[in-house]
Amino acid sequence: MKNFSKFNNLGDLKRMNIVELNQLATEIREFLIENISRTGGHLASNLGVVELTIALHKVYASGYDKIIWDVGHQSYVHKILTGRKEGFQNLRQFKGMSGFPKRNESIHDVFETGHSSTSISAGLGMAMARDIKGEKYKVIPVIGDGAMTAGMAFEALNHAGDKGTDLTVILNDNEMSISENVGGLAKHLYKLRMESGYYKAKEDFESFMETLPGGETILKSTRRFKDSMKYMLLRDVFFESLGFKYIGPVDGHDMKELIRVFEMVKNFRAPTLIHLITKKGKGYKPAELDPEGFHGIGKFDKNTGKPISKSSEKTYSDVLGETLVKIAEEKEDIVAITAAMPSGTGLDKFKDRFPNRYFDVGIAEQHGVTLAAGLASNGMKPFFAVYSTFLQRAYDQVLHDVSIQNLPVTFAIDRGGLVGNDGETHHGVFDLSYLSHIPNISIMAPKDKMEFEEMIRFGSTFDSPLVIRYSKGLCINCFDGMEFNSIDYGKGEYINRGEKIAIIAIGRMVEIANRIIKSFKSEGKNFTLVNARFVKPIDNELLKEVSKTHDAIITIEDNAVLGGFGSMINKNLIDMEYHGYIKNIGIPDRFIEHGNNEDLYRLTGIDIDGIYETILNIENEIYGD
């Protein structure tokens, strides 16, 4: 790679000419495709920001000026340019480089972002701190058009425009968040892109000039005037009305134009928004044709774009979508809601089958929850499918708009528990803690596929707020030889009846606990295993029975121990005046890094070996060696 060999630091980048920068862009795309094909990661979004990132680092002084990547999954090129190229060998792996900006990785990562729509607020805070301290650096949040569908982005724009603060917002418009963008803003940006007629006029003008003698020279001499006219004619009243200077639309893959615009805007001292048009997956045909599929992808064949290994088994998300379709064919009141994640949550099947009963609210979880409340208040039965870590944003709406009114909204909470390579911002390990103390809400978690399908059906007729919380990954039947007990509200079930020590587990941890029980059985020890099914309400009848016949009760969950399922069991055991040994096993009180789930389960002590050793130690403590 010619220019990669010349590139050692940002100083080298600043000395490169346009030809060399464009060659570097080509080589970076080759590097990303090669490396992400081996490790997996976020590909399409990063291919779309190569020129943008190079131009930013060409014009601005990263390490002094502050570049903030909204969401952060498009920061790979930034990481390459700021000295972390070698880190891609272990991208998103345990103890390897994060797939998101991390302040402890580099001084060039000025703010950590794993969820969307925070960059403008954070950037405004930095700019205001700069002004208070009399400093001079520039602050540049880079936000996608998908992230701009969230209310938080507009709150920040409104504040920044009102303050008149020197802030340069770059709107990276690729018509996508993860899935296709929806809503009024998406239509507004499309209008800016298409109705202006700018690009057709540009092509016609250049074609005409090239036919004239000396046309190339004339074209170069008029380009600056032409671009000035473009920005004047296409000024967007919406952003201007918020107090921003609006620049664009600008071709986000034209290196020379990007550098010229950034150099011009660098001299501004007022809120400015630069509207760039980019193509997600740029330069790699499979990603261009399927940007959603290449948003976050596992290992793949770089020549064909095909996944190297993909299980034929269905995931929990798949099962949700398929089961909801079946139920909706029977019940006309069933509606489904997603926050920009139709494919990720499995609702793409529902979308295709029932387009009039499917609602994608964009990256706006708060609105999605209250929309569900409104639908439920008027006779519908909404299922809001949402990642655990994303629902955190809508806590107030779950409490006030759904639960206080006791409305029949079912929250299908995907990615509960540890989710692996995306790390701290995406682990769904807090939902049981932040939901279980809300009155009127009931919480369930399935142990396997059959139970999950029955829980979805249960939710379709339940007349109060309900949470069904499940994990990322394959959804299979792990208890085929066991008779299925129908779901009874608030009731758990015995998986194994034993003595001395009772394990009460929830969700995917039931299957892990069952394997541990079998290991102890092979040693002649028969311990009890209970599948709680319900986190709330607790099956007090079963719990009282267990408490009277066992010396120790151990709870197992893939949620934070503090305030989680085990905490609720503890409270009820205290009320029952249980005097036996109690142990809660779950996620410790710290943020868990990124890595494969196998490594993370071992790290947190909720893997089979870790739990086995914990139980063995408890047994020895109670009964002696």
Side-chain angles (χ1 to χ4, degrees), residues 138 160 164-168 243-245 265 267-273:
K138 306 294 286 190
T165 308
D166 179 5
L167 181 72
T168 301
F244 276 75
K245 293 179 181 291
V265 170
N267 296 316
F268 292 179
R269 294 291 181 267
T272 304
L273 186 138

Side-chain angles (χ1 to χ4, degrees), residues 27 74 76 99 154 160 182 273 291 314 396 419 429 542 558:
E27 293 172 2
Q74 76 278 46
Y76 291 8
F154 286 96
V182 297
L273 186 138
K314 290 180 171 58
D396 185 70
V419 298
V429 297
L542 188 153
D558 54 351

Side-chain angles (χ1 to χ4, degrees), residues 65 125 144-145 173 232 242 246 251 256 263 308 390 401 416 497 510 554 586 610:
D65 297 321
D145 53 325
D173 181 359
M232 182 181 75
L242 289 174
Y246 173 83
D251 183 350
K256 189 172 184 179
E263 291 283 10
I308 288 177
F390 297 162
D401 300 334
R497 290 179 183 263
V510 177
I554 301 167

Side-chain angles (χ1 to χ4, degrees), residues 209-393:
M209 292 304 297
E210 288 169 357
T211 65
L212 300 177
E216 281 295 320
T217 302
I218 298 171
L219 190 60
K220 288 178 182 178
S221 66
T222 58
R223 182 166 281 128
R224 190 172 297 274
F225 172 75
K226 175 201 69 176
D227 288 336
S228 297
M229 290 298 293
K230 173 185 71 174
Y231 299 136
M232 182 181 75
L233 292 171
L234 299 184
R235 280 175 45 167
D236 179 52
V237 174
F238 174 76
F239 293 109
E240 295 274 357
S241 68
L242 289 174
F244 276 75
K245 293 179 181 291
Y246 173 83
I247 307 293
V250 178
D251 183 350
H253 300 298
D254 184 334
M255 188 80 73
K256 189 172 184 179
E257 177 71 349
L258 285 170
I259 292 171
R260 191 186 78 77
V261 170
F262 292 163
E263 291 283 10
M264 175 181 70
V265 170
K266 191 177 180 181
N267 296 316
F268 292 179
R269 294 291 181 267
T272 304
L273 186 138
I274 305 173
H275 181 186
L276 306 184
I277 309 298
T278 62
K279 185 176 183 63
K280 204 168 185 180
K282 173 76 172 177
Y284 183 52
K285 188 58 69 176
E288 289 185 9
L289 295 174
D290 183 18
E292 183 176 352
F294 280 85
H295 168 74
I297 190 168
K299 299 176 184 180
F300 63 95
D301 183 332
K302 66 177 182 178
N303 297 313
T304 65
K306 301 294 184 184
I308 288 177
S309 61
K310 187 172 183 180
S311 174
S312 59
E313 299 279 1
K314 290 180 171 58
T315 66
Y316 276 91
S317 304
D318 294 330
V319 173
L320 173 77
E322 292 175 1
T323 306
L324 267 187
V325 166
K326 292 176 185 176
I327 296 172
E329 287 172 345
E330 305 164 4
K331 292 172 55 61
E332 294 184 355
D333 61 344
I334 299 294
V335 295
I337 302 168
T338 181
M341 299 293 291
S343 177
T345 59
L347 289 187
D348 45 354
K349 303 174 185 67
F350 193 99
K351 172 186 176 182
D352 294 339
R353 179 67 180 84
F354 299 104
N356 293 332
R357 287 194 264 161
Y358 162 85
F359 309 103
D360 186 343
V361 298
I363 303 176
E365 291 83 4
Q366 293 167 293
H367 165 58
V369 171
T370 305
L371 174 70
L375 286 160
S377 71
N378 207 26
M380 305 306 290
K381 187 66 188 70
F383 278 74
F384 184 19
V386 59
Y387 287 9
S388 168
T389 183
F390 297 162
L391 186 61
Q392 290 164 186
R393 295 183 156 204

Side-chain angles (χ1 to χ4, degrees), residues 160-196:
D162 179 63
K163 293 291 292 184
T165 308
D166 179 5
L167 181 72
T168 301
V169 176
I170 295 176
L171 172 56
N172 175 32
D173 181 359
N174 57 28
E175 306 178 65
M176 299 278 290
S177 47
I178 294 174
S179 302
E180 182 179 356
N181 282 330
V182 297
L185 179 65
K187 292 186 175 76
H188 180 72
L189 294 175
Y190 178 81
K191 181 178 179 182
L192 277 174
R193 289 191 297 266
M194 304 306 293
E195 289 189 4
S196 67

Side-chain angles (χ1 to χ4, degrees), residues 401-613:
D401 300 334
V402 174
S403 297
I404 284 180
Q405 300 183 83
N406 201 27
L407 293 170
V409 174
T410 296
F411 296 96
I413 301 186
D414 205 331
R415 269 65 167 180
L418 295 169
V419 298
N421 306 100
D422 283 335
E424 297 99 320
T425 56
H426 284 63
H427 293 317
V429 297
F430 303 107
D431 46 45
L432 301 185
S433 301
Y434 71 74
L435 292 171
S436 60
H437 58 257
I438 299 177
N440 290 336
I441 204 164
S442 300
I443 305 172
M444 312 171 75
K447 69 179 186 292
D448 67 355
K449 179 175 181 287
M450 185 180 295
E451 193 163 83
F452 184 43
E453 291 171 335
E454 287 303 307
M455 285 184 177
I456 297 168
R457 289 195 171 274
F458 180 90
S460 71
T461 59
F462 195 64
D463 60 0
S464 291
L466 178 68
V467 168
I468 305 173
R469 188 253 201 186
Y470 47 96
S471 61
K472 177 182 180 180
L474 299 181
C475 183
I476 57 178
N477 288 320
C478 306
F479 298 84
D480 285 333
M482 176 181 167
E483 181 181 353
F484 182 78
N485 299 311
S486 61
I487 292 174
D488 189 6
Y489 178 68
K491 296 298 181 181
E493 63 172 356
Y494 284 101
I495 301 295
N496 185 69
R497 290 179 183 263
E499 58 183 10
K500 294 184 177 180
I501 295 176
I503 300 170
I504 306 176
I506 192 72
R508 72 174 300 177
M509 303 309 295
V510 177
E511 191 269 333
I512 290 175
N514 192 45
R515 291 162 68 181
I516 295 168
I517 286 286
K518 289 179 178 179
S519 292
F520 279 115
K521 269 191 174 181
S522 69
E523 301 170 11
K525 302 170 183 176
N526 186 28
F527 297 149
T528 293
L529 174 59
V530 171
N531 169 27
R533 277 188 172 168
F534 283 81
V535 174
K536 185 182 181 183
I538 296 291
D539 186 346
N540 276 329
E541 183 178 337
L542 188 153
L543 185 61
K544 183 173 288 188
E545 181 180 301
V546 168
S547 70
K548 288 179 177 179
T549 54
H550 293 79
D551 301 322
I553 295 176
I554 301 167
T555 66
I556 305 178
E557 62 190 301
D558 54 351
N559 185 82
V561 168
L562 291 182
F565 169 65
S567 295
M568 296 187 66
I569 294 288
N570 294 351
K571 192 268 180 192
N572 287 26
L573 287 173
I574 291 170
D575 291 345
M576 295 174 187
E577 298 183 350
Y578 176 68
H579 298 294
Y581 191 105
I582 303 172
K583 175 68 175 180
N584 301 139
I585 298 174
I587 306 299
D589 185 27
R590 66 177 189 269
F591 291 109
I592 307 303
E593 60 194 277
H594 61 274
N596 296 326
N597 262 8
E598 182 179 338
D599 293 320
L600 299 183
Y601 270 58
R602 189 180 307 113
L603 175 71
T604 54
I606 62 171
D607 63 314
I608 289 176
D609 290 342
I611 296 173
Y612 176 89
E613 286 297 322

